[in-house]
Amino acid sequence: MKTDLPQSFHRLAYRPPVYTFDQVELDIALDPARTIVKSRIEVIPSKSFEPGAPLELVGHELEFVSLRINGQAHRHFELTPETLTIHSLPNEGREKFVVEMICICVPEKNTTLMGLYVSNGNFFTQCEAEGFRKITYFLDRPDVMARYTVTLRAREEECPVLLSNGNLLSAEKLPNGWHSATWVDPFPKPSYLFALVAGKLKCIEETITISSGAKKLLQIWVEPHDLKKTRHAMDSLIASIHWDEKRFGLELDLERFMIVAVSDFNMGAMENKGLNIFNTKFVFAQPETATDADFANIESVVAHEYFHNWTGNRVTCQDWFQLSLKEGLTVFRDQEFSADQMGSESGRAVKRIEDVRLLRQLQFPEDAGPMAHPIRPDEYQEINNFYTVTVYEKGSEIVRMYQTLLGKDGFRKGMDLYFQRHDGQAVTCDDFLAAMADANGKDLNEFKNWYSQAGTPRVHVQEHYDAVKKQYQLTLTQSCVPSPGQPEKKPFYIPLKIRLLTRSNDQSEQLLELTQVTQTWTFDNIPDRPVLSINRNFSAPINLDFEQSEADLLALFSSDDDAFNRWEAGQKLAMQMILNNRLPDAELIEAYRNLLLDPELDPAFKELALTLPADSYLYEQCASVDPQQIFNARRAFRREIAKQLQLEWAALYQQMQTPGPFKSDGVDAGKRALKNLALSMLLDAAPSIWAPMAANQYHIADNMTDRYAALSALVVHGAKAAKDCLIDFHNRFANDALVIDKWFGLQASRPPVDGLESTLVEVRKLREHPAFKLNNPNRVRSVIHSFCANNPASFHQADGSGYEFWADSVLALDPINPQVAARLARALDRWRLFAQPYQDRMKVALERVSTYQTLSSDVREVIGKALGN
Ligand code: B3K
Ligand code: ZN
């Protein structure tokens, strides 16, 4: 029996490093079976140094070969599986000394995709958060920032291209078919931003001139046959560089900036200094193989990683508890960039709605579950488990609230001061808050609770209108249920944009600052009973507890001038009816019809307004979830909209065609989105009548958005043509891994259809398909995560078969790739929210996984927290 408790790390236990590094030289001889890493590190005592302190380095799965200090072999050290502790340092460590080490790692055996690994015969690294220790023994922590010079050696035939961070200093031919390249990064950086790439790659490149007149070389490196897929990523990079100069005055600081695409990658992309490494999914885009959503995601991920160059790299995190300092801020920046790229106010609103929908579907459940944590967590067992929607998306909402409170100019002043104070440093979330407060002379002390407390606050709204006094009173009361380790919460600082909608239309938008538990505002001279539009543009990441009448909601849905709140009113109406097992009534159908026919509204907005809240968001509104009941109620509600508006859907299907050459811009993408919603609605209304039209669209489409949408409509509605189209799709794209991921993903996320085999049976077959690979994260996510996390009605079966599949999959993945396994493990987080028999069956599956002795710390933490250990 393994009895030791999992090790936890605590934010308040932070201690500055005793030593720090100045110059780091790495010499890496690349060999898939035996890579030799030589390091030469200049070590200096840091502020908290005490004479005689040993130098404690960390390493993971390394073969240690030798150690020298100041040129002499050194024997005073202790080696454990995870540490190298060096004693008897020259002059007790008081002044600079040089450590030289040799160690060996085995990239071809590395399936975790952390550290140095091989993918399709090429070498890549991933070091954030703690992967550098798999390359050499090091002070692998973000508050140790050093200057790197890196020499890579490899056989030229196998690895003609050798890349690392910074600028290329020299390249040489060596004996026996080897060659080398030396790279110098002039900026001090933490080890997590180190990267190398080597192999048979080609690039597209472009030289741009930035505002200062300086020229910059931009490159995107891929396998040669993928070069034609890189144009959109390059355009996105160029747009990001210009945007960051214009909006924040932040310039690209290196002579060259490289992006490399790799098909085996644990997440989206990584912001290594000057050498971003990307999942191919966020680089490759051509109209025939990528959807509009893919195009938009690429633009935003390219921007995100580029923006990290300042928010993350130039100013980095003191420790990993501060992760949201760089992630929340950088998500906010990429969201603003994408909104600006939309080119119109209504485009901005569409982007805002999409971001909020994601937050509510994924982050709200996290914030209410066993893994709930503040955006700046206080404790973790495995840091990789904390790259969460809370740290990222809620983190971005917290940053957005500064901008709401301080205004755009005030926010910019805060950013300027932040860089003025902290460029080149590793800092904390408190430092960011202080810069915002000091630059604006505003007391933001209360705002700190957003960093320290988990949970989504709930704001109760109470209104009173006095027709005689012409006075309106608004009382807001905030609360927040307990989170793990946080039984009681202090009030949050909540900025609420509101507008009183009156018949005379004489009230303008205002910003209320709710900082106490309860506050009341009184508004005079209000001629008639107003309809309250509150939390406009989702000014705060909260739940509203507001019993607004259906008549008021309908009024907001029809005419609120805040596009977000207009959408929100529709969502609320639909949600209430679905949860009460009702169908849309005549008034709501009429409101939907008017909205669809309104020539002033963007097609993209109409599509969002007619898309119902996701199952996972509906679950969060229930005390005890019956997933089949919710699925059926939602489906019936949607079918009614489909049927009642069949004529409108048919007309829209024609009107929203986008003839002519394909454009991936917001306008055409919006039309395609609405057209494809119409198609899916038509199949919902009368599958046998409309399926041939979907099959036709599938065959004649000249772009992936339309082809995939048609295929999806056929599959989801169980149409006969689905089978042949799926075969055709597979054959057409058999050589394109990302498209084959879509093929797997679509089948694994098919909801239950009467008369068809259960999706689980199909998923088990897909698992056995020759193209399925357990060690490729994209493929695993397309089959296993799609089924377990994106297909609630198929996954939650009363016999628990979905949960058994989940447990088998977590256990199979964990020894290969703990990060991917731990992500999957989270699919049962909310088990306590479910009704019986689901809840018990989930518990059985969780307990089965938890009894395994050899679980990774990643999976152990997730399962342990789910079970409440
Ligand atoms: N910073 C990386 C994420 C690293 C995840 C490590 N498990 C990508 C990003 O947020 O931009
Ligand atoms: Zn990031």
Side-chain angles (χ1 to χ4, degrees):
M1 237 342 243
K2 199 170 158 191
T3 47
D4 45 351
L5 284 172
Q7 191 188 2
S8 278
F9 299 91
H10 295 269
R11 180 171 65 87
L12 296 176
Y14 172 80
R15 298 287 173 273
V18 177
Y19 292 97
T20 188
F21 294 165
D22 188 5
Q23 195 71 38
V24 171
E25 285 172 32
L26 298 173
D27 183 316
I28 303 180
L30 292 160
D31 177 339
R34 199 177 153 80
T35 287
I36 303 171
V37 181
K38 297 183 185 165
S39 58
R40 180 189 182 279
I41 307 170
E42 294 179 3
V43 185
I44 41 181
S46 73
K47 277 188 213 122
S48 53
F49 165 78
E50 277 177 27
L55 174 63
E56 291 180 26
L57 306 179
V58 290
H60 191 68
E61 290 172 356
L62 291 171
E63 183 187 324
F64 172 83
V65 179
S66 68
L67 169 69
R68 293 160 79 87
I69 291 188
N70 288 346
Q72 306 290 316
H74 192 84
R75 286 171 206 207
H76 306 279
F77 64 87
E78 284 162 68
L79 205 53
T80 73
E82 305 277 326
T83 59
L84 170 64
T85 308
I86 310 175
H87 301 279
S88 307
L89 297 167
N91 196 12
E92 296 197 298
R94 282 186 185 85
E95 63 215 38
K96 183 184 278 192
F97 58 96
V98 176
V99 172
E100 287 170 283
M101 271 175 299
I102 300 179
C103 47
I104 287 167
C105 59
V106 187
E108 70 184 5
K109 292 248 167 75
N110 182 358
T111 58
T112 64
L113 311 184
M114 286 297 283
L116 177 63
Y117 65 94
V118 176
S119 166
N120 289 351
N122 299 320
F123 293 91
F124 298 89
T125 53
Q126 170 58 34
C127 293
E128 187 177 2
E130 298 179 335
F132 194 78
R133 62 190 63 185
K134 297 182 75 172
I135 298 173
T136 188
Y137 289 93
F138 211 73
L139 285 176
D140 189 14
R141 45 187 290 169
D143 55 356
V144 171
M145 296 173 83
R147 267 176 255 272
Y148 287 65
T149 300
V150 179
T151 299
L152 301 176
R153 300 166 196 275
R155 293 184 56 81
E156 190 162 14
E157 205 176 291
E158 280 129 44
C159 286
V161 172
L162 301 170
L163 309 175
S164 192
N165 317 86
N167 302 315
L168 181 63
L169 184 71
S170 60
E172 255 181 81
K173 283 209 180 286
L174 303 171
N176 303 325
W178 283 63
H179 72 145
S180 72
T182 299
W183 293 82
V184 181
D185 181 354
F187 295 95
K189 65 167 176 289
S191 52
Y192 84 85
L193 291 173
F194 166 82
L196 77 81
V197 171
K200 293 197 185 88
L201 300 168
K202 286 252 179 313
C203 74
I204 61 159
E205 62 179 32
E206 203 150 313
T207 302
I208 60 162
T209 308
I210 60 168
S211 314
S212 68
K215 291 211 181 328
K216 306 285 176 180
L217 176 63
L218 312 179
Q219 296 179 322
I220 300 186
W221 291 90
V222 298
E223 289 179 33
H225 57 269
D226 292 319
L227 271 178
K228 55 185 184 295
K229 304 176 183 167
T230 52
R231 188 65 244 169
H232 176 65
M234 179 62 92
D235 291 341
S236 304
L237 176 60
I238 295 171
S240 312
I241 293 172
H242 293 316
W243 185 88
D244 217 14
E245 280 197 37
K246 200 163 155 231
R247 175 78 177 263
F248 288 111
L250 299 171
E251 258 191 14
L252 173 54
D253 54 7
L254 287 163
E255 291 159 27
R256 78 159 84 188
F257 189 88
M258 297 173 279
I259 288 178
V260 187
V262 55
S263 49
D264 295 289
F265 205 62
N266 281 346
M267 62 268 170
M270 177 64 211
E271 70 264 25
N272 317 299
K273 184 79 187 189
L275 181 59
N276 288 187
I277 298 181
F278 272 60
N279 188 325
T280 48
K281 186 174 164 57
F282 295 107
V283 178
F284 296 168
Q286 286 181 298
E288 303 75 41
T289 51
T291 62
D292 290 323
D294 294 327
F295 273 85
N297 288 336
I298 290 167
E299 182 181 78
S300 95
V301 178
V302 167
H304 180 98
E305 305 312 329
Y306 174 72
F307 297 156
H308 267 315
N309 191 46
W310 280 92
T311 49
N313 301 6
R314 287 286 288 253
V315 182
T316 195
C317 302
Q318 173 195 275
D319 55 69
W320 291 119
F321 297 99
Q322 316 295 330
L323 184 58
S324 200
L325 172 76
K326 74 177 177 82
E327 295 305 347
L329 177 54
T330 306
V331 172
F332 171 72
R333 278 152 53 66
D334 84 54
Q335 289 177 345
E336 286 290 278
F337 164 75
S338 295
D340 284 348
Q341 291 296 100
M342 302 286 279
S344 68
E345 264 319 298
S346 57
R348 291 189 72 85
V350 164
K351 171 69 179 147
R352 183 72 185 130
I353 291 167
E354 287 168 351
D355 291 340
V356 173
R357 194 162 65 169
L358 187 84
L359 182 83
R360 291 210 285 221
Q361 254 171 55
L362 302 176
Q363 198 278 326
F364 279 25
E366 177 166 276
D367 228 349
M371 273 287 290
H373 52 278
I375 64 161
R376 183 192 57 202
D378 285 317
E379 177 265 355
Y380 62 73
Q381 292 166 29
E382 176 51 64
I383 183 57
N384 286 318
N385 285 331
F386 284 80
Y387 287 76
T388 57
V389 276
T390 297
V391 164
Y392 277 67
E393 266 68 29
K394 186 177 180 182
S396 164
E397 293 299 321
I398 309 306
V399 174
R400 185 176 296 278
M401 285 191 285
Y402 287 108
Q403 183 171 268
T404 304
L405 287 165
L406 305 170
K408 224 170 158 175
D409 292 343
F411 184 76
R412 170 67 196 266
K413 275 195 220 154
M415 288 287 277
D416 290 350
L417 184 60
Y418 175 65
F419 292 115
Q420 206 179 306
R421 283 181 177 171
H422 301 299
D423 188 11
Q425 298 175 6
V427 303
T428 64
C429 297
D430 286 339
D431 293 319
F432 185 79
L433 182 136
M436 285 290 154
D438 295 350
N440 289 280
K442 183 151 173 118
D443 179 359
L444 289 173
N445 215 33
E446 307 275 345
F447 199 79
K448 288 189 175 157
N449 295 338
W450 283 111
Y451 287 94
S452 57
Q453 300 185 146
T456 308
R458 184 165 280 279
V459 174
H460 178 80
V461 181
Q462 202 191 343
E463 18 171 31
H464 177 73
Y465 180 66
D466 186 328
V468 179
K469 287 196 199 148
K470 305 266 174 245
Q471 195 181 62
Y472 174 80
Q473 263 192 353
L474 180 63
T475 301
L476 302 178
T477 307
Q478 59 165 305
S479 61
C480 187
V481 296
S483 308
Q486 301 188 324
E488 303 224 351
K489 310 276 173 81
K490 292 190 218 112
F492 292 87
Y493 190 148
I494 302 178
L496 287 163
K497 283 194 181 162
I498 67 147
R499 187 172 173 210
L500 301 180
L501 304 181
T502 56
R503 256 176 276 147
S504 45
N505 199 22
D506 58 350
Q507 301 294 309
S508 51
E509 183 173 276
Q510 345 193 353
L511 181 67
L512 306 183
E513 298 185 13
L514 175 64
T515 56
Q516 293 152 34
V517 174
T518 299
Q519 278 167 254
T520 298
W521 287 265
T522 303
F523 303 85
D524 290 314
N525 302 318
I526 307 296
D528 46 79
R529 186 190 73 83
V531 175
L532 174 64
S533 170
I534 185 167
N535 204 19
R536 287 157 71 86
N537 204 34
F538 207 65
S539 58
I542 56 157
N543 277 308
L544 275 177
D545 195 1
F546 183 14
E547 278 181 31
Q548 212 160 12
S549 70
E550 286 189 4
D552 281 3
L553 287 170
L554 274 171
L556 292 169
F557 185 52
S558 311
S559 59
D560 195 329
D561 62 313
D562 182 79
F564 175 85
N565 260 11
R566 193 167 174 186
W567 172 81
E568 176 75 331
Q571 295 290 298
K572 196 167 170 188
L573 277 165
M575 186 175 82
Q576 287 173 359
M577 292 186 191
I578 295 171
L579 292 174
N580 288 312
N581 235 337
R582 282 167 57 192
L583 294 178
D585 56 22
E587 280 174 308
L588 182 56
I589 291 289
E590 202 47 37
Y592 284 144
R593 178 177 289 119
N594 290 336
L595 186 131
L596 286 176
L597 295 177
D598 189 338
E600 300 291 309
L601 289 174
D602 262 6
F605 178 79
K606 294 181 185 180
E607 193 266 340
L608 289 168
L610 269 292
T611 299
L612 300 176
D615 291 42
S616 70
Y617 182 58
L618 296 172
Y619 293 173
E620 294 301 315
Q621 322 304 318
C622 307
S624 172
V625 173
D626 178 341
Q628 295 302 326
Q629 195 272 327
I630 289 189
F631 172 73
N632 288 323
R634 185 181 184 279
R635 183 164 62 177
F637 189 92
R638 189 179 194 272
R639 192 155 287 164
E640 193 67 13
I641 301 175
K643 284 188 176 153
Q644 299 270 353
L645 298 171
Q646 200 170 166
L647 285 177
E648 285 76 9
W649 294 124
L652 280 170
Y653 184 77
Q654 300 306 334
Q655 288 156 13
M656 293 297 126
Q657 298 290 332
T658 49
F662 178 88
K663 284 191 282 173
S664 74
D665 65 351
V667 175
D668 273 16
K671 286 187 184 166
R672 279 188 288 273
L674 183 56
K675 174 190 70 186
N676 288 322
L677 176 69
L679 180 65
S680 154
M681 286 287 186
L682 289 169
L683 266 86
D684 225 356
S688 52
I689 299 177
W690 298 103
M693 191 170 83
N696 184 51
Q697 174 172 321
Y698 171 84
H699 286 292
I700 65 165
D702 67 352
N703 65 81
M704 181 53 77
T705 306
D706 285 342
R707 176 162 283 137
Y708 183 82
L711 182 62
S712 166
L714 292 168
V715 169
V716 165
H717 295 97
K720 273 215 194 75
K723 204 172 156 211
D724 286 347
C725 290
L726 276 169
I727 294 171
D728 176 84
F729 192 87
H730 181 270
N731 295 342
R732 246 178 226 265
F733 299 108
N735 295 322
D736 191 322
L738 293 174
V739 185
I740 294 302
D741 288 339
K742 293 186 196 300
W743 181 83
F744 276 108
L746 176 57
Q747 296 174 79
S749 46
R750 172 176 65 73
V753 176
D754 293 340
L756 286 193
E757 246 176 351
S758 88
T759 305
L760 179 56
V761 173
E762 305 267 3
V763 167
R764 289 193 190 281
K765 285 186 203 152
L766 294 175
R767 261 300 251 101
E768 301 305 317
H769 192 281
F772 181 81
K773 294 182 223 130
L774 211 48
N775 54 10
N776 175 254
N778 286 357
R779 195 54 49 88
V780 168
R781 284 186 282 254
S782 72
V783 177
I784 302 178
H785 295 60
S786 292
F787 176 73
C788 298
N790 291 330
N791 189 354
S794 299
F795 180 59
H796 295 291
Q797 291 296 317
D799 63 3
S801 51
Y803 313 141
E804 280 166 34
F805 174 79
W806 166 88
D808 293 340
S809 304
V810 170
L811 293 169
L813 277 166
D814 196 31
I816 298 172
N817 189 326
Q819 277 183 44
V820 174
R823 236 350 107 119
L824 178 65
R826 302 268 329 257
L828 259 54
D829 266 12
R830 295 296 276 143
W831 67 280
R832 284 181 207 269
L833 189 62
F834 283 77
Q836 297 300 6
Y838 305 96
Q839 191 183 115
D840 277 355
R841 301 253 194 274
M842 281 191 243
K843 191 172 181 213
V844 168
L846 282 160
E847 281 171 343
R848 175 152 78 87
V849 173
S850 80
T851 55
Y852 268 68
Q853 302 296 303
T854 52
L855 290 182
S856 65
S857 55
D858 308 60
V859 169
R860 183 163 300 286
E861 176 171 36
V862 170
I863 302 288
K865 287 185 172 163
L867 287 170
N869 302 331

